[in-house]
Amino acid sequence: MRIYLNEQPIEVPADISLFDLRQQRRPDADLLIINGHPAKQDQPLQEDDRVVLIQRGQQPRPDELDALLRARHTPGVHDKIKQSCVGIAGVGGLGSAIAVALTRIGIGKLVIVDYDLVEPSNLNRQQYFIDQIGLPKVTALQENLQRINPGVEIEAHQVKVTPDNICELFGQVDVLAEAFDAAEEKAMLTGNFLSKIADKPLVAGSGMAGYEPSNSIQTERLSDRLILCGDGTTAAEPGRGLMAPRVGIAAHHQANAILRLLLGEKPE
Amino acid sequence: MQLKINGQNREFDHQLSISGLLQQLQLAPERVVIELNTKILTAEAHETLLNDGDTLEIIQFVGGG
């Protein structure tokens, strides 16, 4: 009969038990999960059962992690994601969350660019830890992303993005995420990337401050190459700060728009 | 001069450059991206003179990220 072991379909004898399976496949496993529930005792297995055998403290090998993602996402989708390279300009509230989302789904390569350091006030929304205060954001983010999925290739640059280095930094990417904080930087990047790099799309974020309704954040396709995520109006200003929930919503609009572009869909 | 701006037809008394238009619309030039007749421009092109019948998309950014 067929069961799934760590997301992979395998053929096993019909009379096999959970402990038999562990003995054969992963005798050191000390956590046995069957159909989503931890199992303490031996039990017979049935067709299409999903078994996960874990040895605590033991990380999956890169090929095992890859197989898990392949099974979750289907091979066609997984291969496209894995072959893709995404640039992220700015790794603050938007960029760090976009990077985490794309790393979790097994993106092939990320080019992350930011000149800034992690500051205490960043921690209300950015994907850093308190012990990373003072580190360059790209260094801290690279560490965090590698802890999520070491199979993702990360190219990190601690530089300021200018009209002169955009082509050099982002010439190779399939899609660029605009994830800066200042409106002037957003406009500079968008204008220069779209006019200097011939055929690659850019997904920008504009308008996600405060705690206005979640549903006012939208993804809008302004042209084949320019997708805008946000509400378009709520700027960060005194009395209306940037906060994790709404910045996260906008960031994930961006991440999903990027994913849709990579998979050949037209975002919205 | 007639321009189509973000889908709407607008009439102007005389020929304008892009920066002249932005001034008239009270938009900060460093916070917008201009698409002129489907071509995205960089800030250096803001002195370009506009012609009757041009189509513009003006994308305004607000701060935060």
Side-chain angles (χ1 to χ4, degrees):
Chain A
M1 66 176 180
R2 182 185 61 185
I3 63 161
Y4 293 86
L5 175 61
N6 293 2
E7 303 274 348
Q8 300 302 306
I10 57 167
E11 285 297 326
V12 293
D15 60 349
I16 195 168
S17 77
L18 181 61
F19 281 14
D20 292 339
L21 182 74
R22 170 174 65 178
Q23 189 55 41
Q24 288 171 20
R25 298 285 178 146
R26 198 162 293 196
D28 295 329
D30 46 13
L31 272 176
L32 289 67
I33 299 169
I34 175 160
N35 299 326
H37 300 285
K40 296 243 160 37
Q41 291 168 348
D42 198 13
Q43 55 183 281
L45 294 178
Q46 282 156 15
E47 179 94 27
D48 286 333
D49 273 348
R50 306 188 86 93
V51 179
V52 179
L53 299 177
I54 298 170
Q55 186 185 353
R56 267 179 278 216
Q58 182 80 36
Q59 294 179 11
R61 297 188 312 269
D63 62 307
E64 288 175 320
L65 196 55
D66 196 65
L68 291 175
L69 291 176
R70 180 177 296 273
R72 275 278 147 152
H73 300 158
T74 75
V77 167
H78 177 70
D79 288 342
K80 281 186 193 162
I81 297 173
K82 205 181 171 187
Q83 285 158 15
S84 299
C85 173
V86 173
I88 305 180
V91 289
L94 294 173
S96 62
I98 295 168
V100 166
L102 295 178
T103 296
R104 289 200 184 280
I105 59 169
I107 195 84
K109 179 175 179 180
L110 291 177
V111 180
I112 56 173
V113 184
D114 199 313
Y115 64 90
D116 231 345
L117 308 178
V118 179
E119 292 180 42
S121 66
N122 298 153
L123 298 183
N124 84 328
R125 67 187 187 285
Q126 305 186 18
Q127 303 301 318
Y128 301 105
F129 296 97
I130 201 160
D131 57 16
Q132 293 179 314
I133 289 169
L135 284 177
K137 284 185 181 175
V138 290
T139 306
L141 186 58
Q142 186 165 13
E143 277 177 21
N144 299 345
L145 298 177
Q146 281 169 347
R147 286 183 64 190
I148 293 168
N149 183 344
V152 173
E153 185 185 349
I154 313 285
E155 183 182 316
H157 298 275
Q158 195 195 353
V159 295
K160 192 166 171 59
V161 178
T162 67
D164 298 326
N165 63 15
I166 283 172
C167 293
E168 191 186 332
L169 289 168
F170 299 118
Q172 64 177 316
V173 305
D174 297 307
V175 183
L176 179 61
E178 179 289 305
F180 286 139
D181 186 28
E184 294 80 1
E185 304 261 290
K186 290 173 180 291
M188 179 278 293
L189 180 80
T190 303
N192 280 279
F193 182 80
L194 293 179
S195 58
K196 291 176 180 169
I197 291 177
D199 56 351
K200 297 295 162 42
L202 179 142
V203 179
S206 181
M208 74 294 295
Y211 47 89
E212 276 74 4
S214 305
N215 290 351
S216 59
I217 298 213
Q218 300 207 317
T219 298
E220 191 181 2
R221 191 161 60 93
L222 299 181
S223 74
D224 282 345
R225 295 183 55 212
L226 178 55
I227 317 293
L228 199 58
C229 301
D231 65 23
T233 56
T234 49
E237 57 192 31
R240 188 168 64 198
L242 295 158
M243 301 167 85
R246 209 156 179 266
V247 172
I249 292 167
H252 288 87
H253 266 257
Q254 287 185 274
N256 194 46
I258 291 165
L259 176 60
R260 286 172 60 74
L261 287 164
L262 296 176
L263 297 176
E265 306 281 341
K266 280 192 170 178
E268 280 62 42
Chain B
M1 175 177 72
Q2 194 177 57
L3 300 173
K4 192 173 192 178
I5 302 172
N6 294 359
Q8 301 211 313
N9 288 318
R10 301 276 300 265
E11 199 60 46
F12 296 90
D13 294 341
H14 53 272
Q15 193 178 23
L16 290 168
S17 65
I18 287 170
S19 30
L21 174 70
L22 292 175
Q23 205 173 5
Q24 196 151 332
L25 299 174
Q26 296 185 307
L27 295 176
E30 64 281 2
R31 294 183 181 185
V32 301
V33 171
I34 306 285
E35 188 187 72
L36 173 60
N37 301 327
T38 75
K39 187 173 182 291
I40 296 272
L41 306 179
T42 60
E44 294 84 70
H46 281 191
E47 292 319 307
T48 308
L49 280 177
L50 294 166
N51 295 304
D52 191 47
D54 277 345
T55 298
L56 291 103
E57 292 292 327
I58 303 177
I59 301 136
Q60 289 176 261
F61 285 97
V62 299

PDB file of all heavy atoms in Angstrom, chain A residues 176-191:
ATOM      1  N   LEU A 176      11.857  42.606  -9.437  1.00  0.00           N
ATOM      2  CA  LEU A 176      12.424  43.439  -8.370  1.00  0.00           C
ATOM      3  C   LEU A 176      11.312  43.895  -7.429  1.00  0.00           C
ATOM      4  O   LEU A 176      10.261  44.361  -7.884  1.00  0.00           O
ATOM      5  CB  LEU A 176      13.133  44.666  -8.958  1.00  0.00           C
ATOM      6  CG  LEU A 176      13.752  45.628  -7.923  1.00  0.00           C
ATOM      7  CD1 LEU A 176      14.818  44.937  -7.072  1.00  0.00           C
ATOM      8  CD2 LEU A 176      14.357  46.848  -8.618  1.00  0.00           C
ATOM      9  N   ALA A 177      11.558  43.741  -6.120  1.00  0.00           N
ATOM     10  CA  ALA A 177      10.652  44.286  -5.111  1.00  0.00           C
ATOM     11  C   ALA A 177      11.180  45.641  -4.674  1.00  0.00           C
ATOM     12  O   ALA A 177      12.314  45.750  -4.204  1.00  0.00           O
ATOM     13  CB  ALA A 177      10.574  43.344  -3.911  1.00  0.00           C
ATOM     14  N   GLU A 178      10.364  46.661  -4.828  1.00  0.00           N
ATOM     15  CA  GLU A 178      10.688  47.984  -4.274  1.00  0.00           C
ATOM     16  C   GLU A 178      10.199  47.961  -2.843  1.00  0.00           C
ATOM     17  O   GLU A 178       9.002  47.790  -2.601  1.00  0.00           O
ATOM     18  CB  GLU A 178       9.985  49.070  -5.105  1.00  0.00           C
ATOM     19  CG  GLU A 178      10.223  50.487  -4.625  1.00  0.00           C
ATOM     20  CD  GLU A 178       9.516  50.801  -3.331  1.00  0.00           C
ATOM     21  OE1 GLU A 178       8.292  50.635  -3.247  1.00  0.00           O
ATOM     22  OE2 GLU A 178      10.214  51.194  -2.384  1.00  0.00           O
ATOM     23  N   ALA A 179      11.124  48.124  -1.885  1.00  0.00           N
ATOM     24  CA  ALA A 179      10.745  47.991  -0.478  1.00  0.00           C
ATOM     25  C   ALA A 179      11.420  49.073   0.369  1.00  0.00           C
ATOM     26  O   ALA A 179      11.783  48.844   1.520  1.00  0.00           O
ATOM     27  CB  ALA A 179      11.099  46.587   0.019  1.00  0.00           C
ATOM     28  N   PHE A 180      11.584  50.238  -0.226  1.00  0.00           N
ATOM     29  CA  PHE A 180      12.184  51.352   0.509  1.00  0.00           C
ATOM     30  C   PHE A 180      11.159  52.005   1.426  1.00  0.00           C
ATOM     31  O   PHE A 180       9.955  51.751   1.335  1.00  0.00           O
ATOM     32  CB  PHE A 180      12.714  52.401  -0.479  1.00  0.00           C
ATOM     33  CG  PHE A 180      13.971  51.984  -1.185  1.00  0.00           C
ATOM     34  CD1 PHE A 180      14.137  52.256  -2.537  1.00  0.00           C
ATOM     35  CD2 PHE A 180      15.003  51.350  -0.508  1.00  0.00           C
ATOM     36  CE1 PHE A 180      15.298  51.892  -3.203  1.00  0.00           C
ATOM     37  CE2 PHE A 180      16.160  50.981  -1.157  1.00  0.00           C
ATOM     38  CZ  PHE A 180      16.314  51.254  -2.514  1.00  0.00           C
ATOM     39  N   ASP A 181      11.656  52.906   2.254  1.00  0.00           N
ATOM     40  CA  ASP A 181      10.808  53.631   3.193  1.00  0.00           C
ATOM     41  C   ASP A 181      10.394  54.994   2.611  1.00  0.00           C
ATOM     42  O   ASP A 181       9.215  55.343   2.588  1.00  0.00           O
ATOM     43  CB  ASP A 181      11.596  53.813   4.498  1.00  0.00           C
ATOM     44  CG  ASP A 181      10.756  54.421   5.610  1.00  0.00           C
ATOM     45  OD1 ASP A 181       9.532  54.222   5.607  1.00  0.00           O
ATOM     46  OD2 ASP A 181      11.327  55.095   6.476  1.00  0.00           O
ATOM     47  N   ALA A 182      11.368  55.754   2.088  1.00  0.00           N
ATOM     48  CA  ALA A 182      11.087  57.127   1.647  1.00  0.00           C
ATOM     49  C   ALA A 182      10.435  57.148   0.262  1.00  0.00           C
ATOM     50  O   ALA A 182      10.832  56.400  -0.639  1.00  0.00           O
ATOM     51  CB  ALA A 182      12.391  57.925   1.606  1.00  0.00           C
ATOM     52  N   ALA A 183       9.443  58.025   0.108  1.00  0.00           N
ATOM     53  CA  ALA A 183       8.742  58.142  -1.176  1.00  0.00           C
ATOM     54  C   ALA A 183       9.708  58.500  -2.309  1.00  0.00           C
ATOM     55  O   ALA A 183       9.576  58.005  -3.435  1.00  0.00           O
ATOM     56  CB  ALA A 183       7.635  59.195  -1.063  1.00  0.00           C
ATOM     57  N   GLU A 184      10.702  59.353  -2.010  1.00  0.00           N
ATOM     58  CA  GLU A 184      11.659  59.774  -3.037  1.00  0.00           C
ATOM     59  C   GLU A 184      12.480  58.590  -3.541  1.00  0.00           C
ATOM     60  O   GLU A 184      12.773  58.487  -4.734  1.00  0.00           O
ATOM     61  CB  GLU A 184      12.610  60.841  -2.471  1.00  0.00           C
ATOM     62  CG  GLU A 184      11.929  62.161  -2.113  1.00  0.00           C
ATOM     63  CD  GLU A 184      11.212  62.155  -0.770  1.00  0.00           C
ATOM     64  OE1 GLU A 184      11.248  61.119  -0.071  1.00  0.00           O
ATOM     65  OE2 GLU A 184      10.594  63.185  -0.435  1.00  0.00           O
ATOM     66  N   GLU A 185      12.859  57.712  -2.606  1.00  0.00           N
ATOM     67  CA  GLU A 185      13.649  56.532  -2.991  1.00  0.00           C
ATOM     68  C   GLU A 185      12.800  55.566  -3.817  1.00  0.00           C
ATOM     69  O   GLU A 185      13.290  54.947  -4.767  1.00  0.00           O
ATOM     70  CB  GLU A 185      14.128  55.796  -1.737  1.00  0.00           C
ATOM     71  CG  GLU A 185      14.900  56.658  -0.793  1.00  0.00           C
ATOM     72  CD  GLU A 185      16.390  56.477  -0.941  1.00  0.00           C
ATOM     73  OE1 GLU A 185      16.875  55.413  -0.568  1.00  0.00           O
ATOM     74  OE2 GLU A 185      17.039  57.396  -1.469  1.00  0.00           O
ATOM     75  N   LYS A 186      11.539  55.439  -3.430  1.00  0.00           N
ATOM     76  CA  LYS A 186      10.625  54.561  -4.166  1.00  0.00           C
ATOM     77  C   LYS A 186      10.509  55.026  -5.618  1.00  0.00           C
ATOM     78  O   LYS A 186      10.585  54.228  -6.555  1.00  0.00           O
ATOM     79  CB  LYS A 186       9.227  54.575  -3.518  1.00  0.00           C
ATOM     80  CG  LYS A 186       9.152  53.895  -2.168  1.00  0.00           C
ATOM     81  CD  LYS A 186       7.778  54.111  -1.527  1.00  0.00           C
ATOM     82  CE  LYS A 186       7.683  53.431  -0.171  1.00  0.00           C
ATOM     83  NZ  LYS A 186       7.674  51.974  -0.238  1.00  0.00           N
ATOM     84  N   ALA A 187      10.330  56.334  -5.779  1.00  0.00           N
ATOM     85  CA  ALA A 187      10.169  56.894  -7.129  1.00  0.00           C
ATOM     86  C   ALA A 187      11.466  56.766  -7.924  1.00  0.00           C
ATOM     87  O   ALA A 187      11.448  56.413  -9.107  1.00  0.00           O
ATOM     88  CB  ALA A 187       9.726  58.352  -7.027  1.00  0.00           C
ATOM     89  N   MET A 188      12.590  57.032  -7.266  1.00  0.00           N
ATOM     90  CA  MET A 188      13.888  56.939  -7.943  1.00  0.00           C
ATOM     91  C   MET A 188      14.116  55.515  -8.458  1.00  0.00           C
ATOM     92  O   MET A 188      14.477  55.305  -9.619  1.00  0.00           O
ATOM     93  CB  MET A 188      14.992  57.346  -6.956  1.00  0.00           C
ATOM     94  CG  MET A 188      16.414  57.292  -7.462  1.00  0.00           C
ATOM     95  SD  MET A 188      17.176  55.661  -7.421  1.00  0.00           S
ATOM     96  CE  MET A 188      17.286  55.348  -5.650  1.00  0.00           C
ATOM     97  N   LEU A 189      13.888  54.533  -7.605  1.00  0.00           N
ATOM     98  CA  LEU A 189      14.127  53.143  -8.005  1.00  0.00           C
ATOM     99  C   LEU A 189      13.185  52.731  -9.129  1.00  0.00           C
ATOM    100  O   LEU A 189      13.611  52.130 -10.121  1.00  0.00           O
ATOM    101  CB  LEU A 189      13.929  52.204  -6.805  1.00  0.00           C
ATOM    102  CG  LEU A 189      14.165  50.729  -7.131  1.00  0.00           C
ATOM    103  CD1 LEU A 189      15.652  50.408  -7.146  1.00  0.00           C
ATOM    104  CD2 LEU A 189      13.451  49.804  -6.162  1.00  0.00           C
ATOM    105  N   THR A 190      11.917  53.047  -8.969  1.00  0.00           N
ATOM    106  CA  THR A 190      10.916  52.610  -9.945  1.00  0.00           C
ATOM    107  C   THR A 190      11.199  53.217 -11.317  1.00  0.00           C
ATOM    108  O   THR A 190      11.216  52.507 -12.334  1.00  0.00           O
ATOM    109  CB  THR A 190       9.500  52.998  -9.456  1.00  0.00           C
ATOM    110  OG1 THR A 190       9.307  52.414  -8.171  1.00  0.00           O
ATOM    111  CG2 THR A 190       8.421  52.521 -10.406  1.00  0.00           C
ATOM    112  N   GLY A 191      11.450  54.527 -11.344  1.00  0.00           N
ATOM    113  CA  GLY A 191      11.728  55.199 -12.619  1.00  0.00           C
ATOM    114  C   GLY A 191      12.972  54.649 -13.285  1.00  0.00           C
ATOM    115  O   GLY A 191      12.973  54.362 -14.496  1.00  0.00           O
TER     116      GLY A 191
END
